[in-house]
Amino acid sequence: MINRERMLAEFFELVKITCSTRKEREVADIIKEKLAAMGGQVSEDNTGDIIGGTAGNVFAYFPGTNPGALRILFSAHMDSVEPCAGIQPVLANGVITSDGDTILGADDKAGVAAILEGLRTVIEQDLPRGDIQVIFTVAEEGGLNGSKHLDPARLTADMGFILDSSGAPGKIIITAPGQNQFSITVYGKTAHAGIAPEEGVNAIVVAGHALAALQQGRIDFETTANIGRISGGGATNIVTDKVEITAEARSRNPEKLAAQTKHMVETFETVAAAHGGRADVQVKKSYDPFVLHEDMPVVRICRQAAEALGLPVSLEGTGGGSDANYFNRYGVPSAVLGVGMSKVHTNDEYIKEEHLYQSAELVMSIVRQSAAGRR
Ligand code: ZN
Ligand code: CA
């Protein structure tokens, strides 16, 4: 059993530290001290320098007691969305909220606290275990920039458990979409709108034709696309010659993501040309999708660990990205675990006290299940 009182105090301590994306220095230092006190070999990478942040990803390594046992990774992110300055957590009727002026920061301090308390208890009780790596990432919010820049050569685990999902402990995310970002410029030809409109090509109208021809919204059960922003134009007496558009496409299936991306590029290019204009489409990959299968060891261990605690298990897909997209791409099969965070990214964010403790028990249970597995 974990120490509930200690965990609650630590969760409160962590959420009170301001740690916006790329400003994780203070929380990183405190977390590093905690990991060192637990006996971990602690280090930090130079991701902060690369992405213009105050801290890098924090690594800790705990050598196992069972040579040959599965080597596992636990990860959560240290940064929070705004507003996260001066968070005052409030516990009432078994539910933890902020005081209403900020987010709570259970996304993802619930994950951080569960890993710290779960492993601390494992070490205190000297439970049999394989090698354990912990990675607390920076800059997960707004583009997974911490995990994106970490050196895959530093990864030592056979499988990973990323504690960063809504849903009660026992929810296991086994598939998530990849995402591409589009920067589109539609060009027309400028002219005086009153004197010589026939000499112009209106980029707004050209863009309108392209957008009308575009498949967007829900494409199928695992594929989506969206136009984010459109801007351009000026005075009404000028035929507009330039419109800028941002968009995204997501799919859990790499081929479908490629097909939707191709469709979007081609639609803008061909429709613009057909209307006397031109489109320049820049595509940037945000991250790759991942798909785990039910019979993979990482999924089996998640399931067994949750069932051993009597938690209801559900294997699910998600529409959002997380650090697991990168850990999977780096070759460490990684599932994302529900830790009970709710209404994240809003001032109504909350977590049930019980889910906090269950998440730490789940970390312990995963250590137990994986210690029995051979690599
Ligand atoms: Zn998160
Ligand atoms: Ca988030």
Side-chain angles (χ1 to χ4, degrees), residues 77 107-108 140-141 164:
H77 64 88
D107 177 10
D108 191 20
E140 191 272 351
E141 304 289 359
D164 187 18

Side-chain angles (χ1 to χ4, degrees), residues 153-360:
R154 298 183 68 129
L155 300 173
T156 58
D158 299 308
M159 61 184 67
F161 305 91
I162 316 307
L163 282 80
D164 187 18
S165 175
S166 59
K171 173 175 164 182
I172 306 162
I173 302 287
I174 58 170
T175 174
Q179 186 185 155
N180 286 334
Q181 290 276 339
F182 299 75
S183 298
I184 303 148
T185 310
V186 177
Y187 295 98
K189 190 163 169 264
T190 189
H192 192 289
I195 299 168
E198 48 281 287
E199 286 174 14
V201 175
N202 191 311
I204 296 173
V205 175
V206 173
H209 283 292
L211 289 169
L214 197 72
Q215 293 171 37
Q216 55 83 50
R218 176 158 300 286
I219 307 302
D220 66 25
F221 75 100
E222 57 184 354
T223 313
T224 59
N226 187 50
I227 306 296
R229 182 168 45 81
I230 178 163
S231 60
T236 61
N237 65 348
I238 299 167
V239 177
T240 296
D241 66 345
K242 190 174 158 189
V243 169
E244 289 176 313
I245 298 168
T246 61
E248 65 159 53
R250 301 180 192 223
S251 183
R252 297 199 284 263
N253 179 316
E255 286 82 44
K256 287 178 180 177
L257 180 58
Q260 175 65 20
T261 300
K262 186 164 176 271
H263 161 74
M264 291 171 74
V265 172
E266 285 180 358
T267 300
F268 277 101
E269 287 178 351
T270 57
V271 175
H275 288 84
R278 181 170 66 82
D280 174 56
V281 186
Q282 302 290 334
V283 181
K284 213 176 109 215
K285 181 171 80 177
S286 295
Y287 42 82
D288 289 317
F290 74 86
V291 181
L292 303 172
H293 298 286
E294 280 201 41
D295 50 358
M296 289 174 74
V298 62
V299 180
R300 233 177 36 232
I301 284 174
C302 286
R303 178 190 281 283
Q304 289 164 351
E307 283 172 353
L309 300 175
L311 301 172
V313 173
S314 65
L315 303 182
E316 297 184 24
T318 172
S322 75
D323 287 335
N325 289 63
Y326 276 102
F327 290 123
N328 277 290
R329 176 172 161 196
Y330 297 152
V332 181
S334 297
V336 190
L337 306 180
V339 293
M341 58 171 82
S342 301
K343 294 197 180 175
V344 299
H345 299 195
T346 76
N347 290 4
D348 296 327
E349 185 184 4
Y350 69 90
I351 185 168
K352 287 184 185 164
E353 193 186 358
E354 195 61 28
H355 286 163
L356 200 60
Y357 305 143
Q358 284 173 353
S359 298

Side-chain angles (χ1 to χ4, degrees), residues 43-92:
S43 63
E44 182 179 331
D45 71 12
N46 66 344
T47 294
D49 299 335
I50 300 169
I51 66 171
T54 59
N57 298 304
V58 169
F59 294 70
Y61 185 72
F62 298 87
T65 59
N66 288 13
L70 290 169
R71 299 164 297 192
I72 60 176
L73 163 71
F74 289 106
S75 181
H77 64 88
M78 296 186 288
D79 62 313
S80 298
V81 297
E82 305 285 349
C84 62
I87 293 173
Q88 285 302 326
V90 179
L91 169 61

